[in-house]
Amino acid sequence: MARPTRPLAQLAPAPSPRGVPEATVARLPLYLRALTSLSDRGVATVSSDELAETAGVNSAKLRKDLSYLGSYGTRGVGYEVEFLRHQITREIGLTQDWAVVIIGIGNLGHALANYGGFASRGFRIAALVDADERRSGEEVAGLKVRHSDELEDVIETLNISIAVVATPAHAAQAVCDRVVAAGITSILNFAPAVVQVPEGVELRKVDLSTELQILAYHEQRKNGAALALTAEQAVELAKAVRG
Amino acid sequence: MARPTRPLAQLAPAPSPRGVPEATVARLPLYLRALTSLSDRGVATVSSDELAETAGVNSAKLRKDLSYLGSYGTRGVGYEVEFLRHQITREIGLTQDWAVVIIGIGNLGHALANYGGFASRGFRIAALVDADERRSGEEVAGLKVRHSDELEDVIETLNISIAVVATPAHAAQAVCDRVVAAGITSILNFAPAVVQVPEGVELRKVDLSTELQILAYHEQRKNGAALALTAEQAVELAKAVRG
DNA sequence: GGGCACTTGTGAAGCCATGCACAAAGTTGC
DNA sequence: GCAACTTTGTGCATGGCTTCACAAGTGCCC
Ligand SMILES: NC(=O)c1ccc[n+]([C@@H]2O[C@H](COP(=O)([O-])OP(=O)(O)OC[C@H]3O[C@@H](n4cnc5c(N)ncnc54)[C@H](O)[C@@H]3O)[C@@H](O)[C@H]2O)c1
Ligand SMILES: NC(=O)c1ccc[n+]([C@@H]2O[C@H](COP(=O)([O-])OP(=O)(O)OC[C@H]3O[C@@H](n4cnc5c(N)ncnc54)[C@H](O)[C@@H]3O)[C@@H](O)[C@H]2O)c1
């Protein structure tokens, strides 16, 4: 008999016995995206091979990752898309929405504030803050930009969980210090600066120049290899001519 | 006698005997940033401890990383800031500028195009491309936005090495296919989509929603732990009351 | 010129992540 | 109810990265 909806497991609330590896955590959003896409296409059940393909990872890795969350598949069948999606959503903590403040409403801050993709992924841009008086009061993405004097007040009043730092590099440490003092324990930093935070505060950084530099390294390597090859060929050629 | 400028080593061109670990490559830009900052402050020589502190990493790791590039330090002294900076710059391949095309000039594309930080880090935004007719001709950051029909032409004519993809997710694969066909072998993708590229093409992705979701996971975990503790305390309390 | 203080460069150990390969478990068909 | 088939969950081997700890090398001082 095909089991219909897994009522029992759905009621049992919190598996993940203790500690999901960090590398796995970083891939859960990827699986969630893949599952959402399958769900939109009306797929009800998926095997680890198919899901791995959709998410662009190795299927053994996918299965091992999922095994850290619990035993949510059915041998011989695969995974129920909606059910697994729900489990991952719960594991990541996206059954609730998280309130986010963006600090530094310049080029990047504007783009982030106007981005529509966060809402559908569990985040609500709740406030925008900038130090520049001239920006205060400006309306961006339906929100008034607040002056940074109000930062602590905004964080407390709006019950903000996550701070996104998009200020110039030289201001990043001071801004992080302030939000941490105001009780924030999760920060996403776009400024190219080394920022220190106390134990217990999660700091992630996105550095676009670094990404480009890593690409440049590989690009150069390819070119260098090509040149070396050419040089070798040149020697061969020289030999041939001489010989 | 203190050695003045290391003329010999500077002439010897290409160390890095073969293969720098990927994890190390990803940190070289960080070291470069730290060295630039020290250089700006007029520091001439730095120990691995100090440099590691500036870059926010463990000093043993820093020394091991640098050892993959060559033996550029002086025991008992440390590293010459300018010299090391030059070596890392050369290793990453930033002695030349790399021409970049940004594809998809929406919220994010605008921010990237207007960002001043790329130029100083070895990258030149050489072209902007968008599929929307209405954007073609618009001037952004001193460049005319070109229509995507011209994509291949732009890549070839301007000798572009790196493509930055900032289109909606549904267009990302097609755009990547086109730039790869046009000869590009380095792509930075901002669209939240799984993109396949052939062997030999370097694809890096930046997914901001994923970053936030990882933060949410940890945030939830902290809260959950707090709640669990409270529950435990509640049991203790209940016992105490009953006992 | 020899000893002391300092710092690099690296061998070695331990840790974590990856991926293979297969037993266990479930389904389907007869 | 059994056999053949499918697919999960995981033990295990492998490899890469991190960190420790120290020998080897360098400069300085007397
Ligand atoms: N724009 C990009 O595409 C891009 C790319 C890579 C990195 N970055 C980094 O992201 C950060 C923001 O970039 P940007 O291009 O938006 O810069 P920007 O100069 O356009 O905007 C920075 C904003 O931060 C505000 N600000 C300054 N100090 C502040 C403080 N103490 N508190 C609150 N707000 C403050 C400024 O008033 C300004 O509005 C920078 O660190 C930059 O290096 C940006
Ligand atoms: N804006 C952000 O802060 C942000 C944050 C996270 C992720 N992203 C991702 O980055 C991408 C861009 O985001 P955005 O906010 O700038 O979106 P956007 O809709 O503002 O801009 C997308 C642009 O791409 C152009 N485009 C569409 N198809 C194209 C094609 N085939 N070739 C060339 N151009 C094409 C559109 O005309 C538009 O100008 C999206 O995939 C988004 O999910 C953006």
Side-chain angles (χ1 to χ4, degrees):
Chain A
M1 179 184 48
R3 185 180 15 157
T5 45
R6 288 181 173 262
L8 280 176
Q10 201 132 16
L11 289 177
S16 78
R18 212 63 8 212
V20 178
E22 193 55 32
T24 297
V25 172
R27 281 187 295 264
L28 292 181
L30 198 60
Y31 303 152
L32 191 54
R33 213 166 71 197
L35 286 165
T36 302
S37 145
L38 289 168
S39 174
D40 289 349
R41 279 189 267 150
V43 177
T45 299
V46 71
S47 72
S48 63
D49 271 350
E50 294 164 324
L51 181 54
E53 160 116 28
T54 310
V57 303
N58 174 306
S59 76
K61 182 150 60 180
L62 168 68
R63 286 199 300 277
K64 181 146 289 191
D65 282 343
L66 295 182
S67 78
Y68 291 117
L69 311 190
S71 194
Y72 294 145
T74 307
R75 292 172 192 229
V77 177
Y79 301 89
E80 283 177 39
V81 171
E82 283 308 325
F83 177 71
L84 184 56
R85 187 156 76 109
H86 174 73
Q87 294 303 327
I88 295 182
T89 299
R90 192 176 46 68
E91 185 73 29
I92 301 182
L94 301 182
T95 44
Q96 60 180 293
D97 265 26
W98 298 92
V100 174
V101 59
I102 301 176
I103 306 165
I105 312 301
N107 285 316
L108 188 57
H110 271 89
L112 294 170
N114 281 312
Y115 180 51
F118 292 137
S120 62
R121 291 180 178 82
F123 302 94
R124 188 167 46 82
I125 308 293
L128 310 177
V129 172
D130 199 291
D132 190 335
E133 307 261 341
R134 286 163 298 179
R135 289 207 193 274
S136 309
E138 184 190 340
E139 189 150 316
V140 178
L143 287 171
K144 267 219 173 63
V145 176
R146 313 279 289 267
H147 189 267
S148 33
D149 290 347
E150 304 176 64
L151 181 55
E152 288 79 5
D153 187 40
V154 160
I155 289 172
E156 191 161 343
T157 312
L158 299 176
N159 207 10
I160 295 200
S161 303
I162 299 177
V164 172
V165 177
T167 65
H170 63 81
Q173 180 69 62
V175 166
C176 289
D177 289 348
R178 281 182 64 185
V179 300
V180 167
I184 292 283
T185 58
S186 292
I187 303 176
L188 182 56
N189 177 34
F190 284 90
V194 174
V195 172
Q196 309 280 355
V197 293
E199 183 108 359
V201 175
E202 202 74 21
L203 171 71
R204 296 189 65 87
K205 48 193 168 204
V206 175
D207 189 329
L208 309 181
S209 294
T210 293
E211 294 298 326
L212 288 180
Q213 290 178 357
I214 295 170
L215 286 176
Y217 171 84
H218 292 293
E219 192 68 23
Q220 178 194 230
R221 224 177 149 67
K222 287 177 224 161
N223 295 349
L227 287 177
L229 191 69
T230 311
E232 203 172 281
Q233 288 170 337
V235 171
E236 285 303 310
L237 185 64
K239 276 187 196 162
V241 171
R242 268 186 276 120
Chain B
M1 179 182 48
R3 183 182 17 157
T5 45
R6 289 181 174 259
L8 279 176
Q10 202 133 14
L11 289 177
S16 76
R18 214 49 26 199
V20 178
E22 194 55 33
T24 297
V25 172
R27 281 187 296 265
L28 292 181
L30 198 60
Y31 302 151
L32 191 54
R33 214 167 70 197
L35 287 165
T36 301
S37 145
L38 289 169
S39 174
D40 289 349
R41 279 189 266 150
V43 178
T45 299
V46 71
S47 73
S48 64
D49 271 349
E50 294 164 324
L51 182 53
E53 160 115 30
T54 311
V57 303
N58 174 306
S59 76
K61 181 149 63 179
L62 169 68
R63 285 199 301 278
K64 181 142 285 194
D65 282 344
L66 294 183
S67 79
Y68 290 117
L69 311 190
S71 194
Y72 294 143
T74 307
R75 293 173 190 228
V77 177
Y79 301 88
E80 282 177 40
V81 172
E82 283 308 326
F83 178 71
L84 185 57
R85 186 155 77 109
H86 174 74
Q87 294 303 328
I88 295 183
T89 299
R90 191 175 47 68
E91 185 72 30
I92 301 181
L94 301 182
T95 44
Q96 61 179 292
D97 264 28
W98 298 91
V100 174
V101 58
I102 301 176
I103 305 165
I105 311 301
N107 284 317
L108 189 56
H110 271 90
L112 294 170
N114 282 313
Y115 180 49
F118 292 137
S120 62
R121 291 180 178 83
F123 301 94
R124 188 167 45 81
I125 309 293
L128 310 176
V129 171
D130 199 291
D132 191 335
E133 309 260 340
R134 286 162 298 178
R135 289 207 194 276
S136 309
E138 184 190 338
E139 189 150 317
V140 179
L143 286 171
K144 267 219 173 61
V145 176
R146 314 278 290 266
H147 190 268
S148 35
D149 290 348
E150 304 176 65
L151 181 55
E152 288 79 4
D153 188 39
V154 160
I155 289 172
E156 192 160 342
T157 311
L158 299 176
N159 207 9
I160 294 202
S161 304
I162 300 177
V164 172
V165 176
T167 65
H170 63 80
Q173 180 69 63
V175 166
C176 288
D177 289 348
R178 282 182 64 186
V179 300
V180 167
I184 292 281
T185 57
S186 293
I187 303 175
L188 182 56
N189 176 35
F190 285 89
V194 175
V195 172
Q196 309 279 354
V197 292
E199 182 107 1
V201 176
E202 202 74 22
L203 171 71
R204 296 190 64 87
K205 47 194 170 206
V206 174
D207 189 329
L208 308 182
S209 294
T210 294
E211 295 298 326
L212 287 180
Q213 290 178 356
I214 295 170
L215 285 176
Y217 171 84
H218 292 294
E219 192 67 23
Q220 178 195 231
R221 225 178 147 67
K222 288 176 225 162
N223 294 349
L227 287 177
L229 190 68
T230 310
E232 204 172 281
Q233 288 169 337
V235 171
E236 285 304 310
L237 185 65
K239 276 187 194 160
V241 170
R242 266 184 280 120

